[in-house]
Amino acid sequence: MTNPTSTPTQSLQHAEALARFDLLTVDGYDVRLDLASSDETFRSVTTVRFQSQGGPTFIDLKPVSVREIRLNGAPVDVDTLVRGRLPLDTVAGANELVVDAVMRFRNDGEGLHRSVDPADGKHYVYGMCFMDAAPSIFPCFDQPDLKAPYTFLVTAPTDWVVVGNAPGTQVEPGTWEFETTQPLSTYFVTLVAGPYHLVTDDHDGIALGLSARASIARDLDADADELFTMTKQCFDEFHRLFGIRYPFGNYHQAFVPEFNAGAMENPGCVTFRDPLIFSSRVTRGVRIQRATTVAHEMAHQWFGNIVTPKWWDDLWLNESFAEYMGNRVTADVTEYDDAWTHNAYARRQWGLVADQRPSTHPVAGNGAEDALSALQNFDGISYAKGSSILKQLNATLGDDVFFAGAIDHFTQHRFGNATMHDLFASWEQAGAGDLSSFTSHWLRTAGPDQIVLDRAAGVVRRTPPADHPADRPHTLRVARAVDGKWETSTLSITGPETPVEAGDSAFLLDPYEDTWALVQPDDVTVAALKGLLPSTDDTLLRAGVWNNVRSAFHNAAIAPADVIDLLEAGLPVEDSDDAVFYTMPWAVAKVAPLAPEPASALRRIHDAAMGKVTSAAAGSTLQLSAFQAAVSTSTDPGQLRSWLEGRVLPDGIGLDLDLRWRILVQLAVLGETDREELQAALDAEPTARSRVEHTKAVASLPDAEAKAWAWARFTGEVDVPNYELEAAGVGMWRSGQEHLTEPYVERYFADLPGTVEKRSGWVLADTAAVFFPSTSLTEETVAAAKAFIDSDGLDLSVRRRVVDATDELQRRLAIRQAFPAS
């Protein structure tokens, strides 16, 4: 027995992956896991059969301890395992490696994550093998292009249900045998195990399943019909579009606790974050988000699972396609035909902001030297920008050529790996013509073109990023106000200047997101919008207005006061709860603190929200989204208390778990509650959601003890699961509490490097972002951040998040400088 995890592991380099691919072919994995013997660790006995050209290589392994390792029957010295790598001296031909190890359950959403439900004390497990996490479950050649079939045998407590990538059977109490999977990349492998509540159905010969924690069984049952209906509709549409049937057996959708991503496309067993099972009332937009997530993960069964990128620099082949197809299919075949409007509010700015950061990168060929650096490019560029560009490509090629190329790609590389070049070759063969210029300018060049109206010159100017020159043509719609109404026309931009006739009326560029570019309204348009927004009945056009405005604000080109004016003008007639759900929190967090009188700006936002609560149909999701905004902007403790006690709630609003905690968090921000009340609320409803919201509320209290409490979670002095850690960071940095948090600015840069000893991967990077001193709007903080970024030996994921946060801080300072308080 030894403890080989005393030193940090290292991420696989691309050059190493190429060498290992040339040396090896993996025949299969036989994995036996004992999940029943301990709450802290589990036994993992794995047999790996592979062919080799002969010679040295290594396998990835991250155990707590090792019982025995044998290669081709001979013992392997356990002490050779260093930094997660076990050297192997292979023979030419067939090889067999057997590893008997003890692994640790994790609580960071990666590897084999074990969670205890505070509602009933039951334990739940799920596997998340994305990027570097698989070796903490079983030894493997952890790279996407060494695919292999897997056969699992799992021992679990007798009251548990176990689901995996292939159909499984409980052959005796607590023992589950699974069929052998199709060839999978290591990062797709998963198990979901625990006393989960299951709901089953079938469609078109495919067995369907849903599962969630027992404590939310009633909520899963309530959502099951909608989830199954969407799943069936999406399967029918993907089968129609691709002409290739889903090939991975059962299709189980598991809603699991404390999941880092929105979902993960594991073949046969897709995992989702379980807040997507709704325990409280939610807006229509939140339901659309769930629907597009369901469709997104199903699209991955073709784009990613049947054919997988050879290396992480082609990550976009997974995510951009799934993002585009998920939105398209949701809008085309489900009840959520407004999915593209939701996408405009929920995703567009995510991608545009990322593409303007110093850390921007190409959609494709992003230079991922290792798996961990690739994880940093798992962002709005890979999703929103890539999706937009594929939508443009589809509009150019047409469905016939677009899908013929995709089908050829799936057929040629079925259950294998491919590159962007392979896919584009299939499109060209299908009739697309030479796409080399398209790939060079749109996919391999970072940054957005800036497209602006020069009203005086009568032209629209296109300017590529200075650091990333490209020659990109754009075809987009423009909307011009004529006699108080919008008229749209198509504009083709093929050079630096394109003549237009704008006159002296409002003129909006690309309101329907036909292209990928940075567009923002000029002063004449901003002034006119205050009168035009109330008469604009096109929800997608209104979304385009707000994306124009948000881009302008991000670039210090519109005053905070003008943004508040526009919000007051537009909200009374707004009929999309997505507009309220996404615009109001942005205005509260980003705009109001930079207004000349922040308190007055916040009151105006609150009054607008309350007006919408009154005018919206009672019980509508539009009213609900407005009430949520009203709670988060209220500075009146009496008002909040009356709502919390249910005394004067607006007609149509019912107090549920979500709203109760939303009110308690706001009371905490105002310092109008205490730890005893917050603990009592948690004790009264000890759910997973309550525990996270309790953490946010305590960290939000305006006293030194609360900030120290939150900081202990940041440093790892107090170990908490990933959702609670994020909630502590959200509560830590509150506008108006700078006198309490200012001492932590210096401590952030001093303590952050040490967090690599406490956490890794996804959570390490997210923690760096959420605990960044975002409310310290000073040049001194910017200088400290830049010095930190330039320091030696900094973890790449940490550096990336600090770079992005520092850019945001600089932009907020630029807004303050451009529009100083009078």
Side-chain angles (χ1 to χ4, degrees):
M1 300 275 289
T2 186
N3 182 7
T5 59
S6 56
T7 57
T9 59
Q10 61 189 99
S11 188
L12 183 70
Q13 302 293 305
H14 190 196
E16 295 172 322
L18 292 171
R20 199 159 58 172
F21 177 83
D22 289 340
L23 184 71
L24 305 176
T25 301
V26 186
D27 298 322
Y29 293 85
D30 186 302
V31 183
R32 297 171 177 253
L33 303 179
D34 180 2
L35 310 182
S37 58
S38 169
D39 293 348
E40 301 294 328
T41 60
F42 60 96
R43 189 177 180 186
S44 171
V45 181
T46 304
T47 301
V48 189
R49 298 179 179 89
F50 60 96
Q51 305 293 318
S52 174
Q53 299 296 319
T57 188
F58 62 93
I59 197 165
D60 304 286
L61 176 62
K62 302 176 182 179
V64 174
S65 60
V66 174
R67 296 168 179 261
E68 184 182 33
I69 304 175
R70 303 187 76 85
L71 176 62
N72 299 324
V76 175
D77 184 359
V78 172
D79 291 333
T80 62
L81 176 59
V82 177
R83 299 188 65 194
R85 295 182 173 189
L86 179 71
L88 300 175
D89 189 10
T90 68
V91 299
N95 290 257
E96 181 180 274
L97 177 72
V98 181
V99 177
D100 185 350
V102 176
M103 305 293 200
R104 179 175 286 109
F105 288 115
R106 298 171 65 169
N107 72 345
D108 60 357
E110 300 185 49
L112 208 55
H113 179 103
R114 188 169 187 133
S115 174
V116 180
D117 188 345
D120 54 20
K122 293 182 178 180
H123 289 233
Y124 295 90
V125 167
Y126 64 85
M128 178 60 163
C129 287
F130 189 66
M131 295 299 184
D132 283 351
S136 66
I137 303 176
F138 56 91
C140 55
F141 299 106
D142 191 22
Q143 59 190 72
D145 59 351
L146 285 177
K147 283 186 167 182
Y150 290 79
T151 306
F152 272 81
L153 186 146
V154 179
T155 302
T158 55
D159 63 333
W160 283 19
V161 174
V162 185
V163 180
N165 297 103
T169 304
Q170 186 171 204
V171 294
E172 60 182 71
T175 301
W176 295 77
E177 289 184 356
F178 291 85
E179 297 176 14
T180 301
T181 69
Q182 298 284 11
L184 305 179
S185 297
T186 49
Y187 76 97
F188 290 140
V189 178
T190 195
L191 282 172
V192 175
Y196 284 94
H197 174 65
L198 265 63
V199 184
T200 60
D201 201 346
D202 62 82
H203 178 67
D204 193 21
I206 302 169
L208 306 178
L210 304 169
S211 61
R213 289 175 289 123
S215 66
I216 56 173
R218 183 178 62 181
D219 303 312
L220 177 62
D221 288 343
D223 282 353
D225 283 347
E226 179 177 325
L227 287 165
F228 278 137
T229 297
M230 291 188 303
T231 300
K232 295 171 186 179
Q233 291 168 330
C234 292
F235 261 131
D236 288 346
E237 181 69 353
F238 282 121
H239 285 157
R240 184 187 74 82
L241 292 171
F242 297 144
I244 297 173
R245 282 186 58 80
Y246 169 74
F248 296 106
N250 298 350
Y251 194 73
H252 188 85
Q253 296 173 99
F255 295 84
V256 298
E258 300 167 350
F259 198 67
N260 285 325
M264 180 64 197
E265 65 268 22
N266 317 298
C269 184
V270 179
T271 42
F272 298 80
R273 56 169 51 213
D274 67 9
L276 290 175
I277 298 299
F278 306 132
S279 299
S280 297
R281 280 189 70 212
V282 297
T283 66
R284 176 178 175 83
V286 172
R287 290 190 177 274
I288 295 173
Q289 179 187 18
R290 182 172 71 179
T292 57
T293 303
V294 167
H296 177 115
E297 302 310 320
M298 191 178 293
H300 271 309
Q301 307 308 313
W302 288 265
F303 286 108
N305 295 7
I306 289 180
V307 181
T308 308
K310 183 170 176 59
W311 182 245
W312 302 115
D313 57 352
D314 273 330
L315 181 69
W316 78 281
L317 289 175
N318 282 11
E319 299 308 338
S320 300
F321 272 98
E323 184 86 351
Y324 168 59
M325 294 304 302
N327 285 305
R328 171 178 169 153
V329 168
T330 300
D332 286 352
V333 302
T334 77
E335 65 179 288
Y336 300 114
D337 56 0
D338 50 343
W340 284 115
T341 301
H342 169 81
N343 181 74
Y345 282 112
R347 309 292 265 188
R348 181 73 166 185
Q349 285 298 313
W350 178 40
L352 275 173
V353 167
D355 210 18
Q356 296 170 73
R357 298 288 195 209
S359 59
T360 186
H361 57 85
V363 174
N366 56 38
E369 296 181 358
D370 59 38
L372 285 181
S373 63
L375 181 60
Q376 305 320 305
N377 292 331
F378 197 65
D379 57 13
I381 296 170
S382 302
Y383 285 80
K385 180 179 180 178
S387 168
S388 179
I389 291 171
L390 287 176
K391 188 179 179 185
Q392 293 168 226
L393 182 64
N394 173 262
T396 301
L397 300 183
D399 270 0
D400 288 348
V401 171
F402 187 85
F403 287 110
I407 291 165
D408 180 68
H409 182 70
F410 300 145
T411 303
Q412 284 199 52
H413 307 286
R414 185 176 176 86
F415 298 133
N417 299 80
T419 67
M420 180 182 75
H421 300 290
D422 296 320
L423 174 61
F424 276 73
S426 290
W427 269 327
E428 291 177 347
Q429 183 176 333
D434 183 2
L435 293 173
S436 58
S437 178
F438 178 88
T439 59
S440 174
H441 294 298
W442 285 101
L443 296 173
R444 291 196 174 278
T445 305
D449 288 350
Q450 185 175 25
I451 300 178
V452 298
L453 171 66
D454 185 336
R455 193 179 294 267
V459 298
V460 166
R461 301 189 190 281
R462 182 200 69 189
T463 307
D467 295 337
H468 309 286
D471 184 13
R472 305 182 182 106
H474 299 264
T475 300
L476 58 128
R477 281 169 284 182
V478 297
R480 187 174 63 167
V482 179
D483 297 329
K485 296 185 180 297
W486 292 105
E487 291 184 356
T488 60
S489 59
T490 299
L491 181 66
S492 294
I493 299 173
T494 57
E497 294 184 356
T498 303
V500 296
E501 294 183 7
D504 57 0
S505 60
F507 192 93
L508 277 175
L509 290 159
D510 197 29
Y512 296 101
E513 301 179 6
D514 298 311
T515 192
W516 184 260
L518 173 63
V519 296
Q520 52 198 45
D522 68 344
D523 292 342
V524 172
T525 301
V526 170
L529 283 173
K530 297 170 188 177
L532 285 166
L533 262 181
S535 62
T536 303
D537 58 6
D538 183 336
T539 57
L540 197 53
L541 178 61
R542 287 201 302 268
V545 168
W546 279 111
N547 277 325
N548 266 249
V549 168
R550 290 182 66 170
S551 287
F553 187 77
H554 184 67
N555 287 284
I558 186 172
D562 286 332
V563 176
I564 303 298
D565 288 346
L566 286 171
L567 190 142
E568 287 181 320
L571 195 61
V573 298
E574 185 58 66
D575 58 3
S576 167
D577 60 38
D578 268 323
V580 182
F581 187 85
Y582 288 100
T583 304
M584 297 293 268
W586 167 74
V588 170
K590 299 292 181 66
V591 182
L594 298 177
E597 297 181 9
S600 175
L602 191 63
R603 281 194 301 272
R604 291 172 64 189
I605 295 172
H606 175 75
D607 290 345
M610 285 302 300
K612 196 64 184 178
V613 170
T614 302
S615 64
S620 66
T621 61
L622 182 61
Q623 182 196 40
L624 174 62
S625 63
F627 187 71
Q628 291 170 342
V631 170
S632 299
T633 54
S634 177
T635 57
D636 182 350
Q639 180 185 54
L640 291 166
R641 285 287 172 191
S642 69
W643 290 338
L644 185 62
E645 295 163 8
R647 290 187 281 110
V648 290
L649 282 169
D651 183 32
I653 297 294
L655 201 62
D656 54 23
L657 181 69
D658 177 82
L659 287 178
R660 279 193 294 275
W661 275 109
R662 191 178 291 266
I663 294 168
L664 283 167
V665 168
Q666 186 63 10
L667 284 168
V669 172
L670 299 175
E672 295 293 337
T673 185
D674 55 31
R675 290 162 181 76
E676 289 73 18
E677 181 180 23
L678 296 175
Q679 186 62 47
L682 176 59
D683 293 341
E685 293 180 279
T687 66
R689 177 64 181 274
S690 295
R691 189 167 62 183
V692 172
E693 294 301 313
H694 173 265
T695 296
K696 186 188 300 179
V698 172
S700 299
L701 289 167
D703 60 54
E705 181 184 352
K707 304 312 173 186
W709 184 90
W711 203 252
R713 282 144 181 78
F714 170 65
T715 61
E717 177 185 343
V718 176
D719 183 35
V720 294
N722 46 352
Y723 282 17
E724 292 175 55
L725 184 61
E726 181 179 356
V730 171
M732 175 83 192
W733 301 95
R734 294 284 188 181
S735 292
Q737 297 182 358
E738 288 81 3
H739 62 292
L740 295 167
T741 55
E742 200 58 31
Y744 289 94
V745 175
E746 184 178 348
R747 290 183 62 182
Y748 172 83
F749 298 113
D751 292 350
L752 180 56
T755 62
V756 299
E757 303 298 329
K758 302 292 185 179
R759 53 187 74 99
S760 63
W762 212 304
V763 173
L764 174 67
D766 283 353
T767 304
V770 78
F771 275 90
F772 183 87
S774 57
T775 59
S776 182
L777 297 182
T778 69
E779 294 291 352
E780 290 78 12
T781 300
V782 170
K786 289 183 174 180
F788 178 84
I789 291 165
D790 291 338
S791 58
D792 294 332
L794 195 60
D795 178 90
L796 292 177
S797 66
V798 168
R799 175 179 278 115
R800 166 67 180 273
R801 295 305 184 94
V802 176
V803 165
D804 289 350
T806 304
D807 180 66
E808 180 66 26
L809 198 62
Q810 289 180 279
R811 288 176 180 273
R812 298 188 71 194
L813 285 169
I815 295 167
R816 175 172 283 177
Q817 182 177 2
F819 305 101
S822 58

